[in-house]
Amino acid sequence: MIESLVAITILITAILGPITIASKGIASAGYVRDQTTAFFLAQEGLEYVRNIRDSNAFVTPPGGWLSGLSTCVPPGACIIDSPNNTINTCAGVCPAIRYDNSTHLYGYDSTFGATNFTRTINISSTVPDEEVVVSSVVTWKRAAFLERTVVLEETLFHWQK
């Protein structure tokens, strides 16, 4: 009887170890997927702002180097919808980014499916009319985990002066 109990205990221990490792691996894979998506969404926000700055250099007659980005300057923040090429003010809590399964694009179109990612863009001036710091912040929460954040910052210069 005692030998049977010892054998069962060893067998249960041998089975539970790999199952625990597998479940932790699956949870970690989900977290890493979300973290990678958040990083790419934050990077997209920075690239969109850089593209607007660069495109403003080719406008005739020339406008401001940050023309079209005034809604992203504090005290406010903005959201960028790349598929629709729009920038909107984010008053209070920014809405969650949505995902389109057919095109695999992230945006704010109401036909897209909901996600747990929120992106906020802020532009703060460091040297008036010469230098700004663009901050792209993506937050997300998955199930019982704490809220996570990815913050990317880039300094942009008024290079076409």
Side-chain angles (χ1 to χ4, degrees):
M1 179 79 119
I2 293 176
E3 289 177 1
S4 297
L5 289 175
V6 170
I8 290 173
T9 304
I10 291 172
L11 184 62
I12 288 174
T13 304
I15 291 173
L16 285 180
I19 289 174
T20 302
I21 291 171
S23 68
K24 298 253 186 209
I26 291 169
S28 294
Y31 171 73
V32 168
R33 184 191 66 223
D34 286 351
Q35 187 176 29
T36 302
T37 300
F39 174 79
F40 286 140
L41 287 169
Q43 183 66 32
E44 178 189 45
L46 293 178
E47 290 174 6
Y48 190 90
V49 171
R50 187 181 321 113
N51 183 46
I52 295 292
R53 187 245 357 227
D54 294 346
S55 297
N56 285 338
F58 302 110
V59 174
T60 305
W65 68 293
L66 294 175
S67 180
L69 296 169
S70 61
T71 58
C72 300
V73 177
C78 68
I79 56 173
I80 292 175
D81 188 357
S82 298
N84 293 322
N85 199 25
T86 60
I87 301 173
N88 295 309
T89 302
C90 179
V93 178
C94 296
I97 298 173
R98 302 176 73 81
Y99 179 72
D100 184 4
N101 284 322
S102 62
T103 62
H104 304 290
L105 294 175
Y106 286 87
Y108 293 92
D109 194 320
S110 61
T111 61
F112 292 4
T115 68
N116 55 349
F117 297 100
T118 303
R119 176 176 55 202
T120 307
I121 306 292
N122 290 302
I123 300 175
S124 56
S125 179
T126 53
V127 178
D129 199 38
E130 288 194 24
E131 179 180 314
V132 295
V133 174
V134 181
S135 175
S136 181
V137 180
V138 176
T139 59
W140 78 98
K141 185 173 182 179
R142 176 175 251 257
F145 295 113
L146 299 173
E147 185 174 85
R148 304 292 184 181
T149 303
V150 169
V151 179
L152 296 181
E153 290 187 341
E154 182 175 7
T155 302
L156 295 180
F157 300 94
H158 188 180
W159 59 269
Q160 70 253 29
K161 264 187 155 184

